[in-house]
Amino acid sequence: MPSRVRAPRALESKAFRAMFAARKEVFVDLLKWDLPVLAEQYEMDRFDGVDAEYMIMLDGEGRHRSSARLLKTDRPHLLDELYPFLCDGPLPSGPTVREITRFCLDRHQNAAERRLARDQLVTALAEHALETGITDYTGVADLAWFQQVMRFGWHCSPLGRIALLEGRKLIALHIRIDERTLDGLRTAGIYQPRTLKLVAGEGAANEC
């Protein structure tokens, strides 16, 4: 399962270097987000620290295909520090709640490969939650991505209204995880057993 990883110590791992490089290609180069870049190669911010957890999907040759960062919500995280205005009521938080951030699909894939990588990562996030006692995920998404996430078959709802920020329509979301989640993913055609490697760990990543 994902465990703590220190950055930039994480850059000692090939899997983490690939993830941070892919994040730079997607979020900085493609989407033009104003984010810090380390050594002109890796997108890393202040939340990439000791308390961050990661899920990284690799292909058979160890190349990045998809990844996500999970932030604990009983300490500072994106939604409560940067986007609290997106929530109309109390923000779900606590030891069994994680915030999904930096959901990244590698650009060096065709549409079918990206869809498969997306579905496998969504499945892995749900299975990881069930295996480790996570009951809820939160996150911030642009409207188009939120509309996709709503169709994945799990229990997903908005935490507030849509807000326009720097030309982007953003919304906070809440995903509940329970014994019905995997069946919902299957019904929606999202559930995909892992055929890519799932990597998580500290420094030199462990395969699981």
Side-chain angles (χ1 to χ4, degrees):
M1 66 179 182
S3 59
R4 298 176 188 177
V5 59
R6 285 181 169 82
R9 179 182 172 183
L11 294 178
E12 298 171 7
S13 161
K14 181 179 179 180
F16 282 100
R17 288 197 304 273
M19 176 190 68
F20 289 122
R23 280 172 35 175
K24 192 260 186 183
E25 289 185 348
V26 171
F27 300 119
V28 178
D29 298 342
L30 178 63
L31 299 179
K32 308 300 182 185
W33 292 4
D34 184 15
L35 299 172
V37 175
L38 177 66
E40 300 183 355
Q41 298 181 69
Y42 309 112
E43 185 276 301
M44 304 176 72
D45 66 13
R46 62 190 175 90
F47 295 101
D48 287 304
V50 64
D51 293 318
E53 302 168 338
Y54 302 87
M55 304 193 79
I56 308 172
M57 303 293 288
L58 305 175
D59 69 8
E61 298 180 6
R63 294 174 298 197
H64 176 273
R65 284 297 173 260
S66 60
S67 57
R69 179 178 65 184
L70 303 181
L71 298 179
K72 296 180 179 180
T73 59
D74 52 1
R75 59 203 67 192
H77 56 287
L78 281 168
L79 193 51
D80 79 323
E81 287 215 337
L82 302 182
Y83 302 102
F85 56 89
L86 293 177
C87 301
D88 289 342
L91 173 62
S93 63
T96 66
V97 183
R98 295 290 185 274
E99 181 184 51
I100 301 175
T101 66
R102 298 300 194 267
F103 191 105
C104 180
L105 301 177
D106 204 281
R107 293 181 68 183
H108 304 288
Q109 301 177 102
N110 60 36
E113 291 169 336
R114 283 171 57 84
R115 168 67 185 264
L116 177 61
R118 182 201 71 181
D119 292 353
Q120 288 179 320
L121 185 55
V122 169
T123 300
L125 286 166
E127 291 180 334
H128 169 67
L130 292 167
E131 291 164 3
T132 60
I134 294 172
T135 58
D136 303 80
Y137 284 126
T138 60
V140 177
D142 64 33
L143 182 58
W145 177 236
F146 172 73
Q147 290 170 338
Q148 287 189 54
V149 174
M150 286 282 288
R151 295 193 295 267
F152 287 170
W154 50 18
H155 188 284
C156 179
S157 58
L159 286 169
R161 304 181 187 89
I162 299 168
L164 186 63
L165 184 65
E166 298 179 351
R168 298 169 60 207
K169 293 181 179 179
L170 299 180
I171 190 167
L173 60 88
H174 178 205
I175 300 166
R176 297 185 188 275
I177 302 293
D178 59 29
E179 69 280 358
R180 297 166 293 182
T181 299
L182 295 184
D183 284 341
L185 297 183
R186 293 186 182 98
T187 299
I190 295 295
Y191 184 86
Q192 287 287 349
R194 299 171 194 167
T195 57
L196 306 182
K197 289 190 291 184
L198 174 62
V199 173
E202 181 178 44
N206 301 315
E207 297 179 13
C208 55

